[in-house]
Amino acid sequence: MNESDTSRHFLRQWIEKDVADGKTGGKVVTRFPPEPNGYIHIGHAKAVCVDFGMAELFGGECHLRLDDTNPTKESDEYAANIKKDINWLGFKWSGEGDGKEPGFYNASNMFDKMYEIAEELIRRGQAYCCNLTQDEWKEYRGVPEKPGRPSPSRETDPERNMRIFHEMRDGKYADGEWCLRAKIDMASPNIHFRDPVLYRIRHVSHYHLGDKWCVYPMYDFAHPIEDALEGVTHSMCTLEFEVHRPLYDWVVDRLDEMGLLPVRNGVKIRTQQREFARLNITYTVMSKRLLLQLVTEGHVDGWDDPRMPTVCGMRRRGYTPGAIREFCERVGVSKVESESDPALLEWCVREELNKTALRRMAVLDPVKVVIDNWQGGPRDVELPNNPLDESAGVRRIPFGGEIWIDRADFMETPEKKFFRMAPGQEVRLRGACIFKCTGCVKDESGNVAEIHGVWDVGSWGGNAADGRKIKGTIHWVDCASGVAAEVRLYDRLFTEKDPLKDGPSEFLKYLNGDSLKVVRGYVEPSLASAAPGERFQFERTGYFVCDRPLVFNRTVTLKDSYKPTA
Ligand code: ATP
Ligand code: MG
């Protein structure tokens, strides 16, 4: 994150003040806590930029903590890819860590500790076991406007609670039969404060711990414990957790009473939570559950399908880490929910690739042009790799008597202001020469099969000897040396701005049936050795990334009317 004023948001000011007030013990510590139940998406990237970015800005550390407290749907495959994607975005976790890897934590490594803390709450009369059914529990909890009713178990003595809590852990009860609740305030206007559940029974195997546990802590209990015990100073999350903050503070207060808060340089570290607005993007869905559905039902080719809003999908699409970070920076940190236009992200991608991508020529909808007066073998054309960056050097491309051009660059009966190839009209063939079309040959169905013409032998390099002006310049691929390639043209995955407008069960009806078009074209010879991940500008066409040898994914088109407002 740079020093510009746009990054001087409320979170930054909040941390600045705490640093000035000496609350951090000399080190700002943040964390990014993804649940390993899917791949991270652009929304997570935003949180990554905030969590790691703030730590970087204040010379502190950011922990990567896999929040694996919910045993279902978590896996090591997800965990490994989360790490890979964060690194790719350009961030590195640091700090002590709870195992061999510095800065890396698994929340599940704290299960023993969390259980002990729960026992201590029971001992102190601050938690109790409750066996209301889910429906009863909701009914007792009530509505914000009216105090709730106490559970019949609320006044049970600690010894009995402890026995039941142990029996819960030992597998004596079925899922949902009992739970552990905090004893807080059944009359609080904040219903999250009305004796919330801390532990529940779930007879499910955990991806790391197997069947060691059949009771699992709730997020609202686990998260503040993780933050506090890791020595986190500033815990940033999305707005929906704002109403949970009193509970977060309640847990931290209890840890404080138990003497469990860490001390750094003589300062007791008391973690605090603040919330910022989620990143929402139009024309896509972001919830991992829905993304998983797209994958498992085969609507896309996997989590890294270039149409997916996942970080790995964007990587395969050819987006750069820098552009994604720039986008997150421009969206900014705010307290107000809003929707961002994917065009802003595309604009950031274009801005960066314009500066860095090597220029190449590719013809995606080829039609052959025969130069009838071409004599001798091929000649070499020399073109810059990047006109904006001299250090990128030049490349040489053979040019012979037959070339491919894009069908759209030819009109048999040209419209007004069509300055490209047309009978009787001159056009510049990029870097090579001036060409005058004399006519075309058609197939049985009336499609142009071959275009004919002559080149001005005095124009090698592209300019006329007599200095006459040539209005149009088009790109081409030499037939003899060009290479066939597959090119995937991507469009938005959904046709609707908000695919969830009719609810999550209806979003599939807004899938864009034309979001992927595969074409076969020709590319200049140097692209035969392009390696996966290499990015190019196909001149006059767009930005592309090599997916595998001779297969290219379109990252973004060359132009768009979109302009960012700030
Ligand atoms: P989803 O609802 O998409 O499945 P999640 O919030 O359940 O996401 P987690 O793995 O729990 O995903 O999130 C890890 C962190 O990323 C959390 O701190 C969360 O607040 C943040 N995060 C998730 N989605 C967004 C978003 N759209 N914008 C900003 N931050 C986000
Ligand atoms: Mg989650």
Side-chain angles (χ1 to χ4, degrees), residues 33-35 37 44 67 70 219 240-241 278 288:
E35 188 178 354
N37 64 346
H44 294 110
D67 195 353
N70 184 8
Y219 178 92
E240 70 272 23
F241 293 105
R278 280 186 167 260
K288 280 183 275 190

Side-chain angles (χ1 to χ4, degrees), residues 537-557:
Q537 184 197 92
F538 289 177
E539 295 192 24
R540 300 183 58 233
T541 306
Y543 293 98
F544 291 78
V545 64
C546 178
D547 195 54
R548 46 191 169 81
L550 289 174
V551 176
F552 297 90
N553 295 340
R554 183 169 69 196
T555 307
V556 64
T557 53

Side-chain angles (χ1 to χ4, degrees), residues 31-48 50-51 65 67 82 219 223 235-241 276-281 285-291 337:
R31 87 290 171 261
F32 174 63
E35 188 178 354
N37 64 346
Y39 285 65
I40 59 170
H41 51 60
I42 182 78
H44 294 110
K46 166 76 181 286
V48 165
V50 171
D51 294 332
R65 179 198 312 141
D67 195 353
I82 288 171
Y219 178 92
H223 209 82
S235 179
M236 294 165 278
C237 60
T238 35
L239 275 184
E240 70 272 23
F241 293 105
F276 61 93
R278 280 186 167 260
L279 174 69
N280 299 304
I281 295 194
V285 294
M286 219 106 89
S287 134
K288 280 183 275 190
R289 186 171 62 81
L290 300 180
L291 295 178
E337 291 282 353

Side-chain angles (χ1 to χ4, degrees), residues 199-234:
Y199 259 93
R200 61 194 165 149
I201 301 174
R202 298 203 68 189
H203 288 272
V204 191
S205 289
H206 185 271
Y207 79 124
H208 272 172
L209 302 171
D211 294 324
K212 177 170 177 197
W213 296 93
C214 64
V215 288
Y216 290 94
M218 301 298 287
Y219 178 92
D220 282 337
F221 182 57
H223 209 82
I225 295 180
E226 294 151 15
D227 284 346
L229 300 196
E230 284 178 24
V232 166
T233 56
H234 297 86

Side-chain angles (χ1 to χ4, degrees), residues 441-461:
V441 181
K442 291 188 184 162
D443 63 17
E444 311 86 77
S445 17
N447 298 317
V448 176
E450 204 171 85
I451 299 163
H452 284 261
V454 291
W455 76 289
D456 169 358
V457 293
S459 68
W460 187 250

